[in-house]
């Protein structure tokens, strides 16, 4: 399937990793400066927002690719800050955006959109975003 030769695969991997790290760092720096959120908090709030405001804690951990213990500790801190609520439900825990968390993510999304455009989309050609989406979709598991 690939026409990449020996050694070129490693070079491509390193270039992709470097590009990802540079874009990610720039987007996160701008977004967290505008919102006061940490990167992990931003990730949780975006996932909850995209899911309609609530998710099972184990589904949230899977979506973020995090260990359940790491997520649990973060959710405790976010609950103390008033961003999320956790409720026991049959066979698990439901995590829900609180009104303050919903307000915060709604206020933060424009900064995230602007930073993503500036550091990613504006650097691509007119058809590149569609191509990039198609490539990412092929790399992600089918359920995503």
């Amino acid at each position: 399937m690939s026409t990449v030769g020996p050694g070129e695969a490693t070079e491509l991997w390193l270039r992709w990793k470097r590009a990802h790290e540079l874009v990610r760092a720039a987007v996160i720096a701008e977004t967290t400066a505008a919102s006061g959120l940490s990167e992990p908090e931003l990730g949780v709030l975006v996932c909850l927002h995209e899911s309609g405001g609530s998710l099972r804690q184990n589904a949230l951990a899977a979506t973020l690719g995090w260990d359940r213990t790491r997520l649990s500790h973060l959710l405790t801190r976010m609950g103390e800050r008033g961003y999320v609520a956790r409720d026991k439900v049959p066979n698990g825990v439901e995590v829900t955006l609180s009104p303050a968390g919903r307000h915060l993510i709604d206020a933060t999304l424009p900064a995230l959109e602007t930073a993503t455009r500036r550091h990613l989309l504006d650097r691509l050609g007119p058809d590149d975003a569609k191509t990039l989406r198609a490539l990412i979709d092929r790399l992600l598991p089918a359920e995503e």
Side-chain angles (χ1 to χ4, degrees):
M1 180 178 208
S2 174
T3 60
V4 175
E8 290 177 302
T10 301
E11 179 188 353
L12 182 59
W13 163 253
L14 292 172
R15 292 177 66 80
W16 179 26
K17 187 174 183 301
R18 179 77 175 137
H20 165 265
E21 289 169 353
L22 288 172
V23 171
R24 184 194 135 280
V27 169
I28 291 301
E30 281 188 30
T31 306
T32 59
S35 68
L37 292 167
S38 69
E39 181 179 2
E41 290 170 334
L42 177 64
V44 167
L45 293 179
V46 167
C47 282
L48 290 172
H49 181 270
E50 288 181 342
S51 73
S54 66
L55 272 175
R56 290 286 184 110
Q57 188 168 321
N58 61 350
L60 183 57
T63 299
L64 293 167
W66 292 356
D67 175 82
R68 290 181 304 171
T69 302
R70 174 186 181 199
L71 179 59
S72 181
H73 290 301
L74 178 62
L75 291 174
T76 297
R77 291 189 302 274
M78 292 178 74
E80 291 168 355
R81 293 178 74 182
Y83 299 155
V84 299
R86 287 191 286 183
D87 296 301
K88 281 278 215 192
V89 295
N91 300 319
V93 175
E94 188 81 14
V95 182
T96 306
L97 278 173
S98 68
R102 187 174 300 281
H103 176 75
L104 183 56
I105 194 59
D106 287 344
T108 301
L109 287 174
L112 178 58
E113 178 76 13
T114 298
T116 302
R117 286 193 176 283
R118 179 180 3 269
H119 297 289
L120 179 65
L121 297 179
D122 290 351
R123 300 173 83 180
L124 302 176
D127 295 325
D128 291 341
K130 289 179 185 174
T131 301
L132 181 59
R133 177 182 292 277
L135 292 170
I136 291 169
D137 287 348
R138 286 181 21 204
L139 295 172
L140 289 173
E143 66 271 4
E144 292 189 32

